Amino acid sequence: MFKLIKFSAIFLLLLAFMATPLAPAYAQKKLLIRDAEIENTIRAYGAPLFEAAGLNPRDIRIFLIKDDELNAFVAGGQNLFLHTGLLVKSANPEQLIGVIAHETGHIAGGHLQRLSKRLRGASNMSLVTSIVGAAATILTGRAEAGLAVLAAGAQINTQNLLRFSRTQESAADQAGLNLLERTGQSARGMVEFLSILEGQELLTTNLQSPYVRTHPITRDRINNVRNFLAKSRYANKPSSPEFVRMHRRMRGKLRGFLMPPANALRAYEDDKSSVESRYARSIAYYRIPELGKSLALIDGLIAEFPEDPYFHELKGQILFENERGAEALGSYAKSVKLLPNSALLRYEYAYALIERNDPALIPQALDQARHATRLDREFISGWQALSIAYGRKGDFGNSTLAMAEIAMLRRRRGEARRLATRAAKKLKPNSAAWLRAEDIKQATAKKK
């Protein structure tokens, strides 16, 4: 039985892909992960490349698809999609950075604009329009994988709409290579990734990686990248130790959350002391659940790294999802203090406060939810928390206004207008909230 809004460190967005002639991996429901640490890791890898390409890193939206396949793509403008299979199976940061460089080459090269007519002609609009604009009602039952589910609809023939030509692939390779060179990074990872996929072109379509189906791999492409690497000043430059550390932690975290717990524990049988091992095993034990072992591991990590926000976040999640909400508050508060610009962490703290059902905690919950929506105005979960907190306070004008904001994000103009009209009647005239309600009413008015 699903319950309304019970959350965790990683959020899932459910995407229903249409059952048209797609590869089997895409002809089923897809899940997207929201996680502050993993998103920040990808952003740290990508930001230098985005800037070198003349793009504003803040304009690049990152989506993580829960899928074991090696795949990545860009769609709907400046939106980068990465499969968890790519994150977990990449052997080092260079391979992942090479993929990001290539996909940035597609964005910078205007390849998406050339697909725009086909995307606009799709019966269900683009993938990203559905993801970013759809409703995101957070639902979850027992924390089976420590992940909460956000429902949203998206139907698209991904294989056809996201397929690039060989010419575009070569152009994206060259752009990516230039970006790596300009940022002083080795292109070795790009060569390694393409070489891994090269043999799949000989397989039947249903056995190929989705990346091969949408990004044709050719011997000429690989040779061009190898020739570039041979002349590069940075060919043998290793990744920074910080990037390596982040990569290992990301893989450990994903294994802990996404693999069956027994498999995750087995994966680290020969490594009991590394940070990523303890991180993964703490998550695996929490999912079993064996809370004693899980908390012992995360407490050990916190003792060693007391200023790490993500370890405090995980401890808060473990406690919260095991009916120890009062204890969880301190951990969430610490994570927010250490990483105040994270909308996700702010949201988690807000909801933990709301779930205490203590009127004295509502002002704190409102403060955290407000911060979450200011940091990311498209974060529907933040608006949901804000609406609930205002409702608990008895401020139904602002609660309804937050619901109108959600309707706007879902592209439900009629609903947004009705909610904004209702909110305006309850709000003080000419107040900031009242003016926002009037803005929504005007934005959603039917054109004559």
Side-chain angles (χ1 to χ4, degrees):
M1 180 70 181
F2 288 109
K3 299 177 182 178
L4 179 65
I5 309 232
K6 185 179 179 184
F7 62 90
S8 65
I10 295 183
F11 301 93
L12 293 179
L13 177 62
L14 181 61
L15 305 176
F17 285 81
M18 69 189 297
T20 50
L22 298 177
Y26 280 99
Q28 55 189 335
K29 292 178 180 178
K30 294 293 178 183
L31 300 172
L32 273 165
I33 292 173
R34 291 296 315 272
D35 177 73
E37 180 177 16
I38 296 172
E39 288 176 12
N40 285 342
T41 294
I42 301 303
R43 198 161 290 284
Y45 290 170
L49 300 168
F50 303 150
E51 290 176 352
L55 305 171
N56 185 341
R58 294 183 180 180
D59 293 338
I60 307 295
R61 292 180 64 82
I62 295 169
F63 298 91
L64 309 175
I65 297 179
K66 180 185 177 291
D67 192 293
D68 288 337
E69 296 279 6
L70 289 170
N71 199 15
F73 57 90
V74 288
Q78 298 182 19
N79 299 281
L80 173 63
F81 293 78
L82 301 165
H83 282 216
T84 54
L86 172 65
L87 306 183
V88 173
K89 295 173 185 176
S90 56
N92 51 56
E94 292 100 322
Q95 291 182 7
L96 184 51
I97 291 170
V99 173
I100 296 173
H102 174 91
E103 298 303 328
T104 303
H106 278 306
I107 297 174
H111 300 163
L112 296 175
Q113 282 77 4
R114 298 170 197 173
L115 287 175
S116 62
K117 291 183 179 179
R118 294 165 66 190
L119 285 168
R120 284 196 297 269
S123 59
N124 295 284
M125 294 299 289
S126 73
L127 174 64
V128 178
T129 297
S130 298
I131 294 171
V132 176
T137 303
I138 303 179
L139 301 172
T140 183
R142 180 180 176 276
E144 186 71 19
L147 309 177
V149 177
L150 294 85
Q155 296 183 331
I156 192 168
N157 189 324
T158 307
Q159 180 181 351
N160 290 335
L161 291 179
L162 300 179
R163 176 180 289 138
F164 290 108
S165 71
R166 284 170 168 76
T167 300
Q168 289 172 325
E169 286 304 291
S170 296
D173 285 343
Q174 189 60 49
L177 291 168
N178 291 335
L179 293 174
L180 290 168
E181 193 75 7
R182 288 166 61 185
T183 54
Q185 300 183 86
S186 174
R188 181 175 57 246
M190 187 184 291
V191 174
E192 293 173 356
F193 182 71
L194 291 176
S195 297
I196 290 170
L197 295 176
E198 181 184 17
Q200 293 207 5
E201 289 235 311
L202 300 176
L203 301 176
T204 57
T205 301
N206 64 319
L207 295 177
Q208 291 176 341
S209 162
Y211 198 89
V212 174
R213 293 193 293 272
T214 58
H215 297 68
I217 309 298
T218 65
R219 168 52 51 183
D220 285 343
R221 283 184 61 201
I222 294 174
N223 287 339
N224 288 338
V225 176
R226 283 178 174 161
N227 290 337
F228 183 96
L229 182 65
K231 300 173 184 177
S232 171
R233 293 178 294 168
Y234 306 105
N236 297 315
K237 183 178 178 180
S239 289
S240 71
E242 180 66 7
F243 276 10
V244 172
R245 181 192 69 81
M246 294 166 72
H247 186 261
R248 288 174 177 168
R249 279 184 48 157
M250 175 177 63
R251 294 179 72 197
K253 189 172 194 177
L254 286 170
R255 284 173 169 172
F257 271 114
L258 301 180
M259 293 174 69
N263 292 359
L265 293 172
R266 260 195 310 274
Y268 291 98
E269 280 182 339
D270 298 328
D271 173 18
K272 298 294 179 68
S273 61
S274 70
V275 172
E276 61 267 27
S277 167
R278 287 179 284 163
Y279 206 8
R281 289 186 292 120
S282 177
I283 294 167
Y285 280 127
Y286 135 74
R287 291 173 57 207
I288 289 175
E290 291 187 27
L291 298 188
K293 292 180 178 179
S294 177
L295 289 170
L297 285 166
I298 196 62
D299 282 339
L301 288 169
I302 289 173
E304 190 173 344
F305 304 99
E307 303 301 302
D308 190 301
Y310 308 115
F311 292 152
H312 290 283
E313 177 198 21
L314 178 60
K315 184 174 181 179
Q317 176 180 341
I318 293 169
L319 294 169
F320 181 84
E321 293 191 358
N322 285 279
E323 300 182 354
R324 295 168 65 175
E327 298 174 70
L329 293 182
S331 294
Y332 282 130
K334 183 68 173 180
S335 71
V336 166
K337 182 179 179 180
L338 292 169
L339 195 64
N341 292 328
S342 171
L344 283 170
L345 298 190
R346 292 276 189 178
Y347 162 74
E348 291 176 25
Y349 187 24
Y351 221 90
L353 288 163
I354 290 170
E355 285 290 289
R356 294 305 301 151
N357 290 316
D358 182 349
L361 297 178
I362 293 303
Q364 294 180 58
L366 278 170
D367 182 60
Q368 295 303 322
R370 286 193 196 102
H371 273 91
T373 55
R374 288 170 189 158
L375 289 164
D376 185 353
R377 290 196 61 81
E378 294 186 349
F379 184 28
I380 288 179
S381 301
W383 290 108
Q384 289 174 324
L386 190 61
S387 178
I388 293 170
Y390 272 126
R392 295 283 178 89
K393 186 183 177 184
D395 185 346
F396 298 111
N398 275 301
S399 177
T400 305
L401 179 60
M403 294 169 62
E405 297 283 6
I406 294 171
M408 287 290 285
L409 290 171
R410 292 173 174 173
R411 310 300 199 263
R412 297 180 179 177
R413 296 171 61 86
E415 180 183 347
R417 182 172 175 77
R418 288 192 297 273
L419 289 167
T421 300
R422 190 186 310 166
K425 293 177 181 179
K426 300 176 183 293
L427 295 166
K428 182 180 178 180
N430 297 315
S431 66
W434 183 87
L435 291 171
R436 175 56 184 162
E438 291 298 312
D439 287 342
I440 293 174
K441 288 166 61 178
Q442 291 184 22
T444 56
K446 292 184 178 179
K447 297 180 180 179
K448 294 183 180 179

